[in-house]
Amino acid sequence: MHVEHFDLNDIEHEPSDEQLASLMAAVAAEAQRKAALAHDELMARLRVEITAVQERQISS
């Protein structure tokens, strides 16, 4: 996704509605990507912990 460069602090040249919509879409996509990555990492850690607990129970 291409986001056209603009300066949100430039009060003389405000971004268009299309530019703002593009920015919001890019931010949402990045947030979803990071949330999916965090979820995958959490699930991997949980699987490791579950395996460790199961192994301790078997060896007890």
CSV table of all heavy atoms in Angstrom, one decimal:
chain,number,residue,atom,x,y,z
A,1,MET,N,0.8,-1.2,0.0
A,1,MET,CA,0.0,0.0,0.0
A,1,MET,C,0.9,1.2,0.0
A,1,MET,O,1.8,1.4,0.8
A,1,MET,CB,-0.9,0.0,1.2
A,1,MET,CG,-1.7,1.3,1.4
A,1,MET,SD,-2.8,1.2,2.8
A,1,MET,CE,-4.1,0.3,2.1
A,2,HIS,N,0.6,2.2,-0.9
A,2,HIS,CA,1.4,3.4,-1.0
A,2,HIS,C,0.7,4.5,-0.3
A,2,HIS,O,-0.5,4.8,-0.5
A,2,HIS,CB,1.6,3.7,-2.5
A,2,HIS,CG,2.3,5.1,-2.7
A,2,HIS,ND1,3.6,5.2,-2.3
A,2,HIS,CD2,1.9,6.3,-3.1
A,2,HIS,CE1,4.0,6.5,-2.6
A,2,HIS,NE2,2.9,7.1,-3.0
A,3,VAL,N,1.4,5.2,0.6
A,3,VAL,CA,0.9,6.3,1.3
A,3,VAL,C,1.7,7.6,0.8
A,3,VAL,O,2.9,7.6,1.0
A,3,VAL,CB,1.0,6.2,2.8
A,3,VAL,CG1,0.5,7.4,3.5
A,3,VAL,CG2,0.3,4.9,3.3
A,4,GLU,N,1.0,8.5,0.2
A,4,GLU,CA,1.6,9.7,-0.2
A,4,GLU,C,2.1,10.5,0.9
A,4,GLU,O,1.4,10.7,2.0
A,4,GLU,CB,0.6,10.6,-1.0
A,4,GLU,CG,1.1,11.8,-1.7
A,4,GLU,CD,0.1,12.6,-2.4
A,4,GLU,OE1,-0.9,12.0,-2.9
A,4,GLU,OE2,0.3,13.8,-2.6
A,5,HIS,N,3.3,11.1,0.8
A,5,HIS,CA,3.9,11.8,1.9
A,5,HIS,C,3.2,13.2,2.1
A,5,HIS,O,2.9,13.9,1.2
A,5,HIS,CB,5.4,12.1,1.6
A,5,HIS,CG,6.0,13.0,2.6
A,5,HIS,ND1,6.3,12.5,3.9
A,5,HIS,CD2,6.4,14.3,2.6
A,5,HIS,CE1,6.8,13.5,4.6
A,5,HIS,NE2,6.9,14.6,3.9
A,6,PHE,N,3.0,13.5,3.4
A,6,PHE,CA,2.4,14.8,3.8
A,6,PHE,C,2.8,15.0,5.2
A,6,PHE,O,3.1,14.1,5.9
A,6,PHE,CB,0.9,14.8,3.6
A,6,PHE,CG,0.1,13.8,4.3
A,6,PHE,CD1,-0.3,13.9,5.5
A,6,PHE,CD2,-0.2,12.6,3.6
A,6,PHE,CE1,-1.0,13.0,6.2
A,6,PHE,CE2,-0.9,11.6,4.3
A,6,PHE,CZ,-1.3,11.8,5.6
A,7,ASP,N,2.8,16.2,5.6
A,7,ASP,CA,3.2,16.6,7.0
A,7,ASP,C,1.9,16.9,7.8
A,7,ASP,O,1.2,17.9,7.5
A,7,ASP,CB,4.1,17.8,6.9
A,7,ASP,CG,4.7,18.2,8.3
A,7,ASP,OD1,4.3,17.6,9.3
A,7,ASP,OD2,5.5,19.1,8.3
A,8,LEU,N,1.6,16.1,8.7
A,8,LEU,CA,0.4,16.4,9.6
A,8,LEU,C,0.6,17.7,10.4
A,8,LEU,O,-0.4,18.2,10.9
A,8,LEU,CB,0.2,15.2,10.5
A,8,LEU,CG,-0.3,13.9,9.8
A,8,LEU,CD1,-0.4,12.8,10.8
A,8,LEU,CD2,-1.7,14.2,9.2
A,9,ASN,N,1.8,18.2,10.6
A,9,ASN,CA,2.0,19.4,11.3
A,9,ASN,C,1.9,20.7,10.5
A,9,ASN,O,2.0,21.8,11.0
A,9,ASN,CB,3.3,19.4,12.0
A,9,ASN,CG,3.3,18.3,13.1
A,9,ASN,OD1,2.4,18.1,13.8
A,9,ASN,ND2,4.4,17.5,13.1
A,10,ASP,N,1.8,20.5,9.2
A,10,ASP,CA,1.7,21.7,8.3
A,10,ASP,C,0.3,22.2,8.2
A,10,ASP,O,-0.5,21.6,7.5
A,10,ASP,CB,2.2,21.2,6.9
A,10,ASP,CG,2.3,22.4,5.9
A,10,ASP,OD1,1.9,23.5,6.3
A,10,ASP,OD2,2.8,22.2,4.8
A,11,ILE,N,0.1,23.3,8.9
A,11,ILE,CA,-1.3,23.8,9.0
A,11,ILE,C,-1.7,24.6,7.7
A,11,ILE,O,-2.9,24.9,7.5
A,11,ILE,CB,-1.5,24.7,10.2
A,11,ILE,CG1,-0.6,25.9,10.2
A,11,ILE,CG2,-1.4,23.9,11.5
A,11,ILE,CD1,-0.9,26.9,11.3
A,12,GLU,N,-0.7,24.9,6.9
A,12,GLU,CA,-1.1,25.6,5.6
A,12,GLU,C,-1.4,24.7,4.5
A,12,GLU,O,-2.0,25.1,3.5
A,12,GLU,CB,0.1,26.5,5.3
A,12,GLU,CG,0.3,27.6,6.4
A,12,GLU,CD,1.0,28.8,5.8
A,12,GLU,OE1,1.1,28.9,4.6
A,12,GLU,OE2,1.3,29.6,6.7
A,13,HIS,N,-1.0,23.4,4.6
A,13,HIS,CA,-1.3,22.5,3.5
A,13,HIS,C,-1.8,21.2,4.2
A,13,HIS,O,-1.0,20.2,4.4
A,13,HIS,CB,0.0,22.1,2.7
A,13,HIS,CG,0.6,23.3,2.1
A,13,HIS,ND1,1.6,24.1,2.6
A,13,HIS,CD2,0.3,24.0,0.9
A,13,HIS,CE1,1.9,25.1,1.8
A,13,HIS,NE2,1.1,25.0,0.8
A,14,GLU,N,-3.0,21.2,4.5
A,14,GLU,CA,-3.6,20.1,5.2
A,14,GLU,C,-3.8,18.9,4.2
A,14,GLU,O,-4.0,19.1,3.0
A,14,GLU,CB,-5.0,20.4,5.8
A,14,GLU,CG,-4.9,21.5,6.9
A,14,GLU,CD,-6.3,21.8,7.5
A,14,GLU,OE1,-7.3,21.1,7.1
A,14,GLU,OE2,-6.3,22.6,8.4
A,15,PRO,N,-3.7,17.7,4.7
A,15,PRO,CA,-3.8,16.5,3.9
A,15,PRO,C,-5.3,16.4,3.4
A,15,PRO,O,-6.2,16.8,4.1
A,15,PRO,CB,-3.4,15.3,4.8
A,15,PRO,CG,-3.6,15.8,6.2
A,15,PRO,CD,-3.3,17.3,6.1
A,16,SER,N,-5.4,15.8,2.2
A,16,SER,CA,-6.8,15.6,1.7
A,16,SER,C,-7.5,14.4,2.5
A,16,SER,O,-6.8,13.7,3.2
A,16,SER,CB,-6.7,15.3,0.2
A,16,SER,OG,-6.1,14.0,0.1
A,17,ASP,N,-8.8,14.3,2.3
A,17,ASP,CA,-9.5,13.2,2.9
A,17,ASP,C,-8.9,11.9,2.4
A,17,ASP,O,-8.8,10.9,3.1
A,17,ASP,CB,-11.0,13.3,2.6
A,17,ASP,CG,-11.7,14.5,3.3
A,17,ASP,OD1,-11.1,15.0,4.3
A,17,ASP,OD2,-12.8,14.8,2.9
A,18,GLU,N,-8.5,11.8,1.1
A,18,GLU,CA,-8.0,10.6,0.5
A,18,GLU,C,-6.7,10.3,1.2
A,18,GLU,O,-6.4,9.1,1.5
A,18,GLU,CB,-7.8,10.7,-1.0
A,18,GLU,CG,-9.1,10.8,-1.7
A,18,GLU,CD,-9.8,12.2,-1.7
A,18,GLU,OE1,-9.1,13.2,-1.4
A,18,GLU,OE2,-11.0,12.3,-2.0
A,19,GLN,N,-5.8,11.3,1.4
A,19,GLN,CA,-4.5,11.0,2.1
A,19,GLN,C,-4.7,10.5,3.5
A,19,GLN,O,-4.1,9.6,4.0
A,19,GLN,CB,-3.7,12.3,2.1
A,19,GLN,CG,-3.2,12.7,0.7
A,19,GLN,CD,-2.5,14.0,0.8
A,19,GLN,OE1,-3.0,15.0,1.3
A,19,GLN,NE2,-1.3,14.1,0.1
A,20,LEU,N,-5.7,11.2,4.2
A,20,LEU,CA,-6.0,10.7,5.6
A,20,LEU,C,-6.5,9.3,5.6
A,20,LEU,O,-6.1,8.5,6.5
A,20,LEU,CB,-6.9,11.7,6.3
A,20,LEU,CG,-6.3,13.0,6.6
A,20,LEU,CD1,-7.4,14.0,7.2
A,20,LEU,CD2,-5.2,12.9,7.6
A,21,ALA,N,-7.4,9.0,4.7
A,21,ALA,CA,-8.0,7.6,4.6
A,21,ALA,C,-6.9,6.6,4.3
A,21,ALA,O,-6.8,5.5,4.9
A,21,ALA,CB,-9.1,7.6,3.5
A,22,SER,N,-5.9,7.0,3.4
A,22,SER,CA,-4.8,6.1,3.1
A,22,SER,C,-3.9,5.9,4.3
A,22,SER,O,-3.5,4.8,4.6
A,22,SER,CB,-4.0,6.7,1.9
A,22,SER,OG,-2.9,6.0,1.6
A,23,LEU,N,-3.7,7.0,5.0
A,23,LEU,CA,-2.9,6.8,6.2
A,23,LEU,C,-3.5,5.9,7.3
A,23,LEU,O,-2.9,5.1,7.9
A,23,LEU,CB,-2.6,8.2,6.8
A,23,LEU,CG,-1.9,8.3,8.2
A,23,LEU,CD1,-0.4,7.7,8.0
A,23,LEU,CD2,-1.8,9.7,8.7
A,24,MET,N,-4.8,6.1,7.5
A,24,MET,CA,-5.6,5.3,8.5
A,24,MET,C,-5.6,3.8,8.0
A,24,MET,O,-5.4,3.0,8.9
A,24,MET,CB,-7.0,5.8,8.6
A,24,MET,CG,-7.0,7.2,9.4
A,24,MET,SD,-8.7,7.7,9.8
A,24,MET,CE,-9.4,8.0,8.2
A,25,ALA,N,-5.7,3.6,6.7
A,25,ALA,CA,-5.7,2.2,6.3
A,25,ALA,C,-4.3,1.6,6.5
A,25,ALA,O,-4.2,0.4,6.9
A,25,ALA,CB,-6.1,2.1,4.8
A,26,ALA,N,-3.3,2.3,6.2
A,26,ALA,CA,-1.9,1.8,6.4
A,26,ALA,C,-1.6,1.6,7.9
A,26,ALA,O,-1.0,0.5,8.3
A,26,ALA,CB,-0.9,2.8,5.9
A,27,VAL,N,-2.1,2.4,8.8
A,27,VAL,CA,-1.9,2.2,10.2
A,27,VAL,C,-2.7,1.0,10.7
A,27,VAL,O,-2.2,0.2,11.4
A,27,VAL,CB,-2.3,3.5,11.0
A,27,VAL,CG1,-2.4,3.2,12.5
A,27,VAL,CG2,-1.4,4.6,10.7
A,28,ALA,N,-3.9,0.9,10.2
A,28,ALA,CA,-4.7,-0.3,10.6
A,28,ALA,C,-4.1,-1.6,10.1
A,28,ALA,O,-4.0,-2.6,10.9
A,28,ALA,CB,-6.1,-0.2,10.0
A,29,ALA,N,-3.5,-1.6,8.9
A,29,ALA,CA,-2.9,-2.8,8.4
A,29,ALA,C,-1.7,-3.2,9.2
A,29,ALA,O,-1.4,-4.3,9.5
A,29,ALA,CB,-2.5,-2.6,6.9
A,30,GLU,N,-0.9,-2.1,9.6
A,30,GLU,CA,0.3,-2.4,10.4
A,30,GLU,C,-0.1,-2.9,11.8
A,30,GLU,O,0.6,-3.8,12.3
A,30,GLU,CB,1.1,-1.1,10.5
A,30,GLU,CG,2.4,-1.3,11.3
A,30,GLU,CD,3.4,-2.2,10.7
A,30,GLU,OE1,3.3,-2.6,9.5
A,30,GLU,OE2,4.4,-2.5,11.3
A,31,ALA,N,-1.1,-2.3,12.3
A,31,ALA,CA,-1.6,-2.8,13.7
A,31,ALA,C,-2.1,-4.2,13.6
A,31,ALA,O,-1.8,-5.0,14.5
A,31,ALA,CB,-2.7,-1.9,14.2
A,32,GLN,N,-2.8,-4.6,12.5
A,32,GLN,CA,-3.2,-6.0,12.4
A,32,GLN,C,-2.0,-6.9,12.2
A,32,GLN,O,-2.0,-8.0,12.8
A,32,GLN,CB,-4.2,-6.1,11.2
A,32,GLN,CG,-5.5,-5.5,11.4
A,32,GLN,CD,-6.4,-5.5,10.2
A,32,GLN,OE1,-5.9,-5.6,9.1
A,32,GLN,NE2,-7.7,-5.3,10.4
A,33,ARG,N,-1.0,-6.5,11.4
A,33,ARG,CA,0.2,-7.3,11.2
A,33,ARG,C,0.9,-7.6,12.6
A,33,ARG,O,1.3,-8.7,12.9
A,33,ARG,CB,1.1,-6.6,10.2
A,33,ARG,CG,2.3,-7.5,9.8
A,33,ARG,CD,3.3,-6.7,9.0
A,33,ARG,NE,4.0,-5.7,9.7
A,33,ARG,CZ,5.0,-5.9,10.6
A,33,ARG,NH1,5.4,-7.1,10.8
A,33,ARG,NH2,5.6,-4.9,11.2
A,34,LYS,N,1.1,-6.5,13.3
A,34,LYS,CA,1.7,-6.6,14.6
A,34,LYS,C,0.9,-7.4,15.6
A,34,LYS,O,1.5,-8.2,16.4
A,34,LYS,CB,2.1,-5.2,15.2
A,34,LYS,CG,3.2,-4.6,14.4
A,34,LYS,CD,3.6,-3.2,15.1
A,34,LYS,CE,4.7,-2.6,14.4
A,34,LYS,NZ,5.2,-1.4,15.0
A,35,ALA,N,-0.4,-7.3,15.6
A,35,ALA,CA,-1.2,-8.1,16.5
A,35,ALA,C,-1.1,-9.6,16.1
A,35,ALA,O,-1.1,-10.4,17.0
A,35,ALA,CB,-2.7,-7.6,16.4
A,36,ALA,N,-1.1,-9.9,14.9
A,36,ALA,CA,-1.0,-11.3,14.4
A,36,ALA,C,0.3,-11.8,14.8
A,36,ALA,O,0.4,-13.0,15.3
A,36,ALA,CB,-1.2,-11.4,12.9
A,37,LEU,N,1.4,-11.1,14.7
A,37,LEU,CA,2.7,-11.5,15.1
A,37,LEU,C,2.8,-11.7,16.6
A,37,LEU,O,3.3,-12.8,17.1
A,37,LEU,CB,3.8,-10.5,14.7
A,37,LEU,CG,5.2,-10.8,15.0
A,37,LEU,CD1,5.7,-12.0,14.3
A,37,LEU,CD2,6.1,-9.6,14.6
A,38,ALA,N,2.2,-10.8,17.4
A,38,ALA,CA,2.2,-11.0,18.8
A,38,ALA,C,1.4,-12.2,19.2
A,38,ALA,O,1.8,-13.0,20.1
A,38,ALA,CB,1.6,-9.7,19.5
A,39,HIS,N,0.3,-12.4,18.6
A,39,HIS,CA,-0.5,-13.6,18.8
A,39,HIS,C,0.2,-14.9,18.6
A,39,HIS,O,0.2,-15.8,19.4
A,39,HIS,CB,-1.8,-13.6,18.0
A,39,HIS,CG,-2.7,-14.8,18.2
A,39,HIS,ND1,-2.6,-15.8,17.4
A,39,HIS,CD2,-3.6,-15.0,19.2
A,39,HIS,CE1,-3.5,-16.7,17.8
A,39,HIS,NE2,-4.1,-16.3,18.9
A,40,ASP,N,0.9,-14.9,17.4
A,40,ASP,CA,1.7,-16.1,17.1
A,40,ASP,C,2.8,-16.4,18.1
A,40,ASP,O,3.0,-17.5,18.5
A,40,ASP,CB,2.3,-16.0,15.7
A,40,ASP,CG,1.2,-16.0,14.6
A,40,ASP,OD1,0.1,-16.4,14.8
A,40,ASP,OD2,1.6,-15.6,13.4
A,41,GLU,N,3.5,-15.3,18.5
A,41,GLU,CA,4.5,-15.5,19.5
A,41,GLU,C,4.0,-16.0,20.8
A,41,GLU,O,4.6,-16.8,21.5
A,41,GLU,CB,5.3,-14.2,19.7
A,41,GLU,CG,6.1,-13.8,18.5
A,41,GLU,CD,6.8,-12.4,18.6
A,41,GLU,OE1,6.5,-11.7,19.6
A,41,GLU,OE2,7.5,-12.0,17.7
A,42,LEU,N,2.8,-15.4,21.2
A,42,LEU,CA,2.2,-15.9,22.5
A,42,LEU,C,1.8,-17.4,22.4
A,42,LEU,O,2.1,-18.1,23.3
A,42,LEU,CB,1.0,-15.0,22.8
A,42,LEU,CG,0.1,-15.5,23.9
A,42,LEU,CD1,0.9,-15.4,25.2
A,42,LEU,CD2,-1.2,-14.7,24.0
A,43,MET,N,1.2,-17.8,21.3
A,43,MET,CA,0.8,-19.2,21.1
A,43,MET,C,2.1,-20.1,21.2
A,43,MET,O,2.0,-21.2,21.8
A,43,MET,CB,0.1,-19.4,19.8
A,43,MET,CG,-1.3,-18.7,19.8
A,43,MET,SD,-2.4,-19.5,21.0
A,43,MET,CE,-2.6,-18.1,22.2
A,44,ALA,N,3.2,-19.7,20.5
A,44,ALA,CA,4.4,-20.5,20.6
A,44,ALA,C,4.9,-20.6,22.0
A,44,ALA,O,5.3,-21.7,22.4
A,44,ALA,CB,5.4,-19.8,19.7
A,45,ARG,N,4.9,-19.5,22.8
A,45,ARG,CA,5.4,-19.6,24.2
A,45,ARG,C,4.4,-20.5,25.0
A,45,ARG,O,4.9,-21.3,25.8
A,45,ARG,CB,5.5,-18.2,24.8
A,45,ARG,CG,6.6,-17.4,24.2
A,45,ARG,CD,6.9,-16.2,25.1
A,45,ARG,NE,5.7,-15.4,25.5
A,45,ARG,CZ,5.3,-14.3,24.8
A,45,ARG,NH1,5.9,-13.9,23.7
A,45,ARG,NH2,4.2,-13.6,25.2
A,46,LEU,N,3.1,-20.4,24.7
A,46,LEU,CA,2.2,-21.2,25.5
A,46,LEU,C,2.4,-22.7,25.2
A,46,LEU,O,2.4,-23.5,26.1
A,46,LEU,CB,0.8,-20.8,25.2
A,46,LEU,CG,0.3,-19.5,25.8
A,46,LEU,CD1,-1.1,-19.2,25.3
A,46,LEU,CD2,0.3,-19.7,27.3
A,47,ARG,N,2.7,-23.0,23.9
A,47,ARG,CA,2.9,-24.4,23.5
A,47,ARG,C,4.2,-24.9,24.3
A,47,ARG,O,4.2,-26.1,24.7
A,47,ARG,CB,3.1,-24.6,22.0
A,47,ARG,CG,1.8,-24.5,21.3
A,47,ARG,CD,2.0,-24.8,19.8
A,47,ARG,NE,0.9,-24.2,19.0
A,47,ARG,CZ,1.0,-23.0,18.4
A,47,ARG,NH1,2.1,-22.3,18.4
A,47,ARG,NH2,0.0,-22.5,17.8
A,48,VAL,N,5.2,-24.1,24.3
A,48,VAL,CA,6.4,-24.5,25.0
A,48,VAL,C,6.1,-24.8,26.5
A,48,VAL,O,6.6,-25.8,27.1
A,48,VAL,CB,7.5,-23.5,24.9
A,48,VAL,CG1,8.7,-23.7,25.8
A,48,VAL,CG2,8.0,-23.4,23.4
A,49,GLU,N,5.4,-23.9,27.1
A,49,GLU,CA,5.0,-24.0,28.6
A,49,GLU,C,4.2,-25.2,28.8
A,49,GLU,O,4.3,-26.0,29.8
A,49,GLU,CB,4.4,-22.8,29.1
A,49,GLU,CG,5.3,-21.6,29.2
A,49,GLU,CD,6.4,-21.8,30.2
A,49,GLU,OE1,6.1,-22.4,31.3
A,49,GLU,OE2,7.5,-21.4,29.9
A,50,ILE,N,3.2,-25.5,27.9
A,50,ILE,CA,2.3,-26.6,28.1
A,50,ILE,C,3.1,-27.9,28.0
A,50,ILE,O,2.9,-28.9,28.7
A,50,ILE,CB,1.2,-26.6,27.0
A,50,ILE,CG1,0.2,-25.5,27.4
A,50,ILE,CG2,0.5,-27.9,26.9
A,50,ILE,CD1,-0.8,-25.2,26.3
A,51,THR,N,4.0,-28.0,27.0
A,51,THR,CA,4.9,-29.1,26.8
A,51,THR,C,5.7,-29.4,28.1
A,51,THR,O,5.9,-30.5,28.5
A,51,THR,CB,5.8,-29.0,25.6
A,51,THR,OG1,4.9,-28.8,24.4
A,51,THR,CG2,6.7,-30.2,25.4
A,52,ALA,N,6.3,-28.3,28.6
A,52,ALA,CA,7.1,-28.4,29.8
A,52,ALA,C,6.3,-29.0,31.0
A,52,ALA,O,6.8,-29.8,31.7
A,52,ALA,CB,7.7,-27.1,30.2
A,53,VAL,N,5.1,-28.4,31.2
A,53,VAL,CA,4.2,-28.9,32.3
A,53,VAL,C,3.9,-30.4,32.1
A,53,VAL,O,3.9,-31.2,33.0
A,53,VAL,CB,3.0,-28.0,32.4
A,53,VAL,CG1,1.9,-28.7,33.3
A,53,VAL,CG2,3.3,-26.7,32.8
A,54,GLN,N,3.5,-30.8,30.8
A,54,GLN,CA,3.2,-32.1,30.6
A,54,GLN,C,4.4,-33.1,30.8
A,54,GLN,O,4.2,-34.2,31.4
A,54,GLN,CB,2.7,-32.3,29.1
A,54,GLN,CG,1.3,-31.7,28.9
A,54,GLN,CD,0.9,-31.7,27.4
A,54,GLN,OE1,1.8,-31.7,26.5
A,54,GLN,NE2,-0.4,-31.6,27.2
A,55,GLU,N,5.6,-32.6,30.5
A,55,GLU,CA,6.7,-33.5,30.7
A,55,GLU,C,7.0,-33.6,32.2
A,55,GLU,O,7.4,-34.7,32.6
A,55,GLU,CB,7.9,-32.9,30.0
A,55,GLU,CG,7.9,-33.0,28.5
A,55,GLU,CD,9.0,-32.3,27.7
A,55,GLU,OE1,9.8,-31.6,28.4
A,55,GLU,OE2,9.0,-32.5,26.5
A,56,ARG,N,6.8,-32.6,33.0
A,56,ARG,CA,7.0,-32.7,34.4
A,56,ARG,C,6.0,-33.6,35.0
A,56,ARG,O,6.3,-34.4,35.9
A,56,ARG,CB,6.9,-31.3,35.0
A,56,ARG,CG,8.1,-30.4,34.9
A,56,ARG,CD,8.1,-29.2,35.8
A,56,ARG,NE,7.0,-28.4,35.6
A,56,ARG,CZ,7.0,-27.3,34.9
A,56,ARG,NH1,8.0,-26.9,34.2
A,56,ARG,NH2,5.9,-26.5,34.8
A,57,GLN,N,4.7,-33.6,34.5
A,57,GLN,CA,3.7,-34.5,35.0
A,57,GLN,C,4.0,-35.9,34.7
A,57,GLN,O,3.8,-36.8,35.6
A,57,GLN,CB,2.3,-34.1,34.5
A,57,GLN,CG,1.8,-32.8,35.0
A,57,GLN,CD,0.4,-32.4,34.4
A,57,GLN,OE1,0.1,-32.9,33.3
A,57,GLN,NE2,-0.3,-31.5,35.0
A,58,ILE,N,4.5,-36.2,33.5
A,58,ILE,CA,4.9,-37.6,33.1
A,58,ILE,C,6.0,-38.1,34.0
A,58,ILE,O,6.0,-39.2,34.4
A,58,ILE,CB,5.2,-37.6,31.6
A,58,ILE,CG1,4.0,-37.4,30.8
A,58,ILE,CG2,5.9,-38.9,31.3
A,58,ILE,CD1,4.2,-37.2,29.3
A,59,SER,N,7.0,-37.2,34.3
A,59,SER,CA,8.2,-37.7,35.0
A,59,SER,C,8.0,-37.8,36.5
A,59,SER,O,8.8,-38.2,37.3
A,59,SER,CB,9.4,-36.8,34.7
A,59,SER,OG,9.2,-35.5,35.1
A,60,SER,N,6.8,-37.3,37.0
A,60,SER,CA,6.5,-37.3,38.4
A,60,SER,C,6.0,-38.6,38.9
A,60,SER,O,5.4,-39.4,38.2
A,60,SER,CB,5.5,-36.2,38.8
A,60,SER,OG,6.0,-35.0,38.5
